[in-house]
Amino acid sequence: MIDLNADLGEGFGRWTLTDDDALLSVVTSANVACGFHAGDPSVMRRVCALAAERGVRIGAQVSYRDLAGFGRRAMDVPAGELAAEVAYQIGALRVFAEAAGSEVAYVKPHGALYNRTVHDAEQARAVVAGVRLAGGALPVLGLPGSRLLDAAGEAGLTGVPEAFADRAYTARGTLVPRGEADSVVTDADAVVGRALGFAERGRVESVDGTTVAVAARSLCVHGDTPGAARIAARVREALEAAGVGIGAFA
């Protein structure tokens, strides 16, 4: 059994990026932007309503406060301030999730914050502190072996390891930075093959050709990848054809 998640609600005002309607017909968990890297109240409300209608679990995708940089720029935020901002984002999304008859079921950092919490214990603990401040023992999605999952476990939260079907990996099992060439895998056949590798064998080929073990409970297909909805549908079809159960972890 594996969960399929995607980053959704990544629009703002008249600007849109993700095909939320199509992706919500495929994924089992929706990482909804909470306004700090993308998303505004109208976008959050619409995505939560659609997710609730289709039985998709709603997750808060929290970020550094960086609308201009889409949350992908490195930032130094004091731990206390970051914890408060994480709680703020969860609370904002919770209003719309509950109005739709659902709930915020988990938390996942976005972009630069996600990558920072792989190795930065202080920032990882701050994210977890924000989750606790928001109330409820929400599961936290993160990279296997990350400081984030360690911090979640230490705080009594469930850390959920995830893999990325459309991102390149280093030999250490971390994601290749987006600024580097070929960091995003856009070929649909390659994404499908990698998804099967994660689900059936718990491994992926890194950029230097070595095989990396990646034990994951959830599989991410980015909503902003070109053709994301079509690729996600193919991934789900291939997993189901291989006998892999698809279901939300939360």
Side-chain angles (χ1 to χ4, degrees):
M1 181 72 72
I2 197 165
D3 170 65
L4 288 180
N5 78 76
D7 302 343
L8 302 178
E10 291 183 328
F12 196 88
R14 295 173 60 86
W15 175 75
T16 59
L17 177 63
T18 50
D19 189 346
D20 299 327
D21 189 73
L23 283 164
L24 283 167
S25 297
V26 178
V27 300
T28 47
S29 296
N31 317 317
V32 183
C34 300
F36 272 35
H37 76 280
D40 61 29
S42 295
V43 171
M44 286 189 278
R45 183 180 184 183
R46 178 178 181 276
V47 175
C48 284
L50 283 172
E53 178 184 304
R54 298 180 189 182
V56 176
R57 302 299 277 162
I58 296 169
Q61 187 164 44
V62 298
S63 170
Y64 287 128
R65 188 190 293 268
D66 182 27
L67 271 178
F70 196 60
R72 289 181 176 161
R73 297 185 294 190
M75 302 183 76
D76 289 317
V77 180
E81 183 178 335
L82 179 58
E85 292 190 341
V86 166
Y88 179 93
Q89 292 174 79
I90 295 169
L93 187 66
R94 182 175 283 141
V95 169
F96 299 114
E98 292 181 354
S102 186
E103 62 183 352
V104 173
Y106 65 94
V107 176
K108 175 183 175 179
H110 165 81
L113 181 57
Y114 186 98
N115 292 325
R116 181 75 169 266
T117 59
V118 170
H119 58 81
D120 190 318
E122 181 185 51
Q123 294 280 279
R125 287 193 296 268
V127 170
V128 170
V131 176
R132 299 291 294 180
L133 180 61
L138 297 177
V140 178
L141 266 177
L143 205 68
S146 66
R147 296 292 182 267
L148 179 63
L149 296 191
D150 290 343
E154 291 166 2
L157 304 180
T158 299
V160 182
E162 73 169 333
F164 292 81
D166 55 6
R167 289 295 310 277
Y169 278 76
T170 70
R172 296 179 298 167
T174 58
L175 302 179
V176 173
R178 280 185 176 267
E180 296 184 15
D182 301 321
S183 61
V184 179
V185 182
T186 58
D187 179 78
D189 290 336
V191 175
V192 169
R194 293 161 69 84
L196 289 170
F198 287 126
E200 296 182 321
R201 297 179 294 280
R203 58 190 61 226
V204 68
E205 184 177 303
S206 71
V207 288
D208 69 0
T210 59
T211 299
V212 179
V214 182
R217 175 66 188 84
S218 185
L219 183 62
C220 179
V221 178
H222 279 91
D224 62 338
T225 300
R230 174 179 54 82
I231 293 173
R234 284 196 54 189
V235 165
R236 178 159 186 158
E237 290 169 2
L239 291 172
E240 291 177 332
V244 177
I246 309 295
F249 65 84

